[in-house]
Amino acid sequence: MAGLGHAMPAVVGLLLCTLAEQCGAQVVGCGSDVQWPFTRLCDRTLAWGIVLESIAAAGIVICFILAFVLLGSIPFIKQSGKKDFVPVQVLLTVATMGLYGLTFAFIVMNTPQTCPTRRFLFGVLFAICFSCLITHAYALISLNRGAEGHSPWKLLGIVALLSLVQVIINVEWLITTMVRPFQQPCLYMPMDFVMALIYVMVLIFVGFVMSILVVAGKNRNWRKHGVFMLITLIFSVSIWIVWIVIYVRGIDDLERRGYWDDPVLGIALLSNATAFLFFYIIPEVSQLNKATSHGDMENHFLAARPAQNPPATLPKPYVVENRAFALDEPNSGYKSDSPLNGHHSNPVYQPTPMSLMMNGRNDHMIPRATYNKDAHNAPTVPTAGW
């Protein structure tokens, strides 16, 4: 017992040293050179960090490839109406890649450097993504109403203006909370974090309504793009409702405040970014050069124009064949309608060169041959019967 009493201070000191930042103890699965804030990236006792970083890394690679595919396919897009949307779709792909990258900031532990990054980029990246969806829906609604296509620079300007509002909100929030005396960037209430995202929620609602209008449009060529947006926004609304409820109330009810904050926000980022990738970006890439049900997309723009009259065609001259002359020809192709010819099962009409000329098949007219009417009507000498 005396030996155990002497050993207890050493055990307590070892535990305190393990939890302290300056001890540098090796975490299970991490090397000795891994610093304390980054131990969640390799700590095997925290499986959620390893799973999130694996999925996030795969999402970054996929988004990077799809962004280059979208840019490289612009010269090969045959349907001119889709070229205007490609820059907006590229921007949404880059913003989705940013959401995957921001997931690492929530896996890493809270530091004075990571906390401002989390607070600023969480709302800004989501604002860019949902602004791109709203801009795409706006362009499709205009096309459904018969308007002409919009310039890509105009669409990008709309995205920039919509996203700038969230940038201003986040900058003001950071300034008002960090310039106060004794204020730490990581000390904020969960409700403050959610209240700073109200504008993003407004963008989600507006995009949801506009996507419904696109799906209800008359033009089938644009309706499927509205379906992609509507499915993406339905999943986004569901994800936001779940993570807000858990982050604001659920963690406190389960008494896990401080332990589940980062996992909840990291999973929310990863889930919504995956919804953007699989329900909007990949389907849109697959539809770039796919033929529509009504042929080329340019027919939508030509439908509003008055149809031009087709060139007039000259009627084919109608020439009546001189059958009396054809009867005098040997081996004539003309078949009489007499009942005596009924023994032929399938009589075939074989035109002769002379009958072809009579039907106007040649480019020039040949004068018809004439005959003596009196000679034709003269009685013939009867032959002896057998």
Side-chain angles (χ1 to χ4, degrees), residues 25 27 30 34-44 46 109:
V27 182
C30 299
V34 178
Q35 299 180 1
W36 169 75
F38 307 100
T39 54
R40 287 181 180 177
L41 298 174
C42 53
D43 189 357
R44 280 189 249 172
L46 299 175
M109 296 183 184

Side-chain angles (χ1 to χ4, degrees), residues 189-259:
M189 297 297 295
M191 183 58 68
D192 295 337
F193 186 85
V194 175
M195 293 294 290
L197 300 172
I198 291 180
Y199 177 73
V200 179
M201 300 177 195
V202 173
L203 293 178
I204 297 175
F205 176 76
V206 174
F208 182 79
V209 174
M210 295 182 69
S211 62
I212 293 177
L213 296 178
V214 175
V215 175
K218 298 180 180 179
N219 196 311
R220 297 180 182 178
N221 297 327
W222 308 124
R223 193 178 300 169
K224 55 187 175 182
H225 299 280
V227 172
F228 300 152
M229 288 186 288
L230 182 59
I231 295 175
T232 303
L233 288 167
I234 288 175
F235 276 92
S236 299
V237 170
S238 303
I239 292 169
W240 276 65
I241 292 175
V242 171
W243 81 257
I244 288 176
V245 172
I246 295 177
Y247 184 67
V248 176
R249 296 293 302 273
I251 296 177
D252 291 331
D253 294 341
L254 297 175
E255 298 180 355
R256 302 298 295 175
R257 180 65 64 187
Y259 297 97

